[in-house]
């Protein structure tokens, strides 16, 4: 697949420390290089949620090196699909972009037991997104 034909997906939540980090990690892992993946937050935290890191580690995905990033207009402009996760009106809107809003519980302040069902739902949605994009999920 040539770089110009690789779809670009941006995940946005408020702190970029939980939901959007899990979604980006799953899409990077399951998309196996066939999708350009970004994540950002409208008010990024200083670190990724430790319970989120642990929950992802349980499924073999290490996100310990990730850091929350600030949402920029450029990130939205350069993405084909923008998936928001509770960022409200903080995400800039540009015509021609595909926007999805995934209503997911916020893992902030929760332990790993509460994060697991959120993680599993995100994985299910990522697999559906890959199907919609015509990309076979990696094993």
């Amino acid at each position: 697949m040539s770089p110009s034909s690789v779809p670009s997906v941006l995940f946005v939540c408020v702190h970029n420390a939980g939901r959007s980090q899990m979604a980006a990690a799953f899409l990077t892992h399951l998309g196996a290089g066939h999708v350009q993946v970004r994540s950002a937050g409208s008010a990024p935290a200083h670190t990724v949620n430790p319970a989120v890191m642990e929950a992802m580690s349980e499924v073999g995905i290490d996100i310990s090196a990730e850091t929350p990033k600030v949402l920029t207009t450029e990130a939205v402009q350069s993405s084909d699909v923008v998936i928001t996760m509770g960022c409200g009106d903080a995400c800039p809107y540009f015509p021609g972009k595909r926007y999805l809003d995934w209503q997911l519980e916020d893992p902030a302040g929760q332990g790993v037991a509460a994060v697991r069902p959120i993680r599993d739902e995100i994985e299910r949605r990522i697999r559906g997104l890959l199907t919609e994009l015509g990309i076979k999920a990696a094993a």
Side-chain angles (χ1 to χ4, degrees), residues 36-51:
Q36 184 179 30
V37 182
R38 295 181 184 88
S39 71
S42 54
H46 294 293
T47 61
V48 173
N49 180 330

Side-chain angles (χ1 to χ4, degrees), residues 20-127:
S20 56
Q21 289 286 347
M22 288 189 282
F26 272 123
L27 188 55
T28 298
H29 179 75
L30 296 171
H34 297 288
V35 184
Q36 184 179 30
V37 182
R38 295 181 184 88
S39 71
S42 54
H46 294 293
T47 61
V48 173
N49 180 330
V52 166
M53 282 193 273
E54 183 178 343
M56 292 302 288
S57 178
E58 290 176 353
V59 295
I61 300 175
D62 180 9
I63 61 169
S64 61
E66 296 299 325
T67 57
K69 295 165 262 330
V70 68
L71 176 65
T72 65
T73 301
E74 294 78 25
V76 177
Q77 286 177 314
S78 60
S79 299
D80 299 310
V81 180
V82 179
I83 300 175
T84 59
M85 304 170 166
C87 71
D89 295 331
C91 189
Y93 178 83
F94 293 98
K97 303 290 176 194
R98 179 174 176 208
Y99 288 87
L100 300 171
D101 185 40
W102 288 358
Q103 297 295 316
L104 296 160
E105 189 175 345
D106 189 348
Q110 300 195 52
V112 71
V115 173
R116 286 182 190 117
I118 302 166
R119 173 201 65 200
D120 295 346
E121 176 61 15
I122 289 171
E123 180 182 9
R124 186 189 69 75
R125 292 182 189 206
I126 292 299
R127 288 182 180 279

